[in-house]
Amino acid sequence: MWQRFVDHYYLFRGTPTGAWLEYERRGLRHRRAAVGETGPRVYDEITEKLASPEFRPRALFERFAIEVLATTDKASDPLQHHQTIRDSGWQGRVIPCSAPTRCSDRFPRLAGRAGSAGREHGAPLADYAEFLHALQDRRAFFKTMGATATDHAVLEPYTVWLPPNEVEVLYQRARQRDVTPADERRFMATS
């Protein structure tokens, strides 16, 4: 996979991703671009650097004097990694940021994602009202873990008001995995 990436690295020239890749390469203090036959050697060098103590996450956190790092987590995430960081005694501030739209951003998969949120919430999300209650509950939990914001993906700048019964119908159809792209668009425009 790395070799395929290296063989097509030139396609990133002049793009924001290409600029970021070059910035990161320099941040790793890597002089050679990962091109052609140098790809495997570059991969090995980067892997070696990332395994060294000065490139461990906490070392980088301190070297760059990061005051706070917010992660983006699904609303259903139990945040065990955040609890592990808290319990470790480390003084770096890493806080979660709830992404509630990850429960519904891929509408046909809403049933599984709502199920995960329901397990963390402690109740099945049989209707839309309970789904919203679970998201509120999860937001409160994230706040207890240090969250100060939420992350909402807006895939399209479109909103619509739907009567509660229509939203409920869409929610139930999503739970049954019986939805169309138009259903998804309308549901996301109300969420």
Side-chain angles (χ1 to χ4, degrees):
M1 183 175 213
W2 173 258
Q3 191 60 51
R4 179 173 284 205
F5 165 72
V6 166
D7 290 343
H8 296 90
Y9 190 77
Y10 69 93
L11 294 172
F12 292 100
R13 282 189 207 132
T15 68
T17 300
W20 176 76
L21 289 167
E22 285 301 310
Y23 173 80
E24 292 301 323
R25 184 178 60 80
R26 285 191 304 277
L28 289 169
R29 297 186 187 103
H30 195 274
R31 306 240 185 275
R32 282 191 290 273
V35 294
E37 60 280 345
T38 65
R41 190 169 55 241
V42 170
Y43 180 86
D44 291 341
E45 290 173 12
I46 291 172
T47 300
E48 183 180 328
K49 280 206 185 217
L50 291 176
S52 68
E54 65 266 19
F55 282 92
R56 301 298 301 158
R58 290 183 183 188
L60 292 172
F61 197 97
E62 291 165 12
R63 183 168 81 201
F64 295 129
I66 296 171
E67 292 181 27
V68 64
L69 177 85
T71 63
T72 301
D73 307 278
K74 292 184 291 189
S76 61
D77 195 311
L79 303 179
Q80 292 167 323
H81 298 300
H82 285 273
Q83 190 60 50
T84 300
I85 291 170
R86 281 180 161 198
D87 294 345
S88 74
W90 181 55
Q91 297 303 305
R93 186 166 176 232
V94 181
I95 61 173
C97 180
S98 174
T101 50
R102 287 193 178 174
C103 286
S104 59
D105 65 347
R106 295 292 174 256
F107 197 56
R109 290 185 237 151
L110 180 94
R113 291 181 180 189
S116 297
R119 280 189 295 283
E120 290 301 318
H121 173 60
L125 308 183
D127 58 32
Y128 186 67
E130 193 61 33
F131 175 71
L132 290 180
H133 184 252
L135 290 179
Q136 291 168 342
D137 179 53
R138 297 304 301 157
R139 183 170 184 259
F141 170 68
F142 271 67
K143 287 174 75 173
T144 68
M145 295 296 289
T148 59
T150 56
D151 180 351
H152 298 266
V154 177
L155 303 176
E156 177 185 13
Y158 169 69
T159 60
V160 64
W161 182 87
L162 293 176
N165 62 326
E166 282 188 51
V167 177
E168 183 65 38
V169 167
L170 289 173
Y171 179 77
Q172 294 302 329
R173 288 181 66 187
R175 288 185 66 224
Q176 300 302 316
R177 294 179 171 88
D178 178 29
V179 292
T180 67
D183 293 335
E184 178 177 10
R185 183 173 190 253
R186 289 177 53 121
F187 184 83
M188 290 305 298
T190 66
S191 298

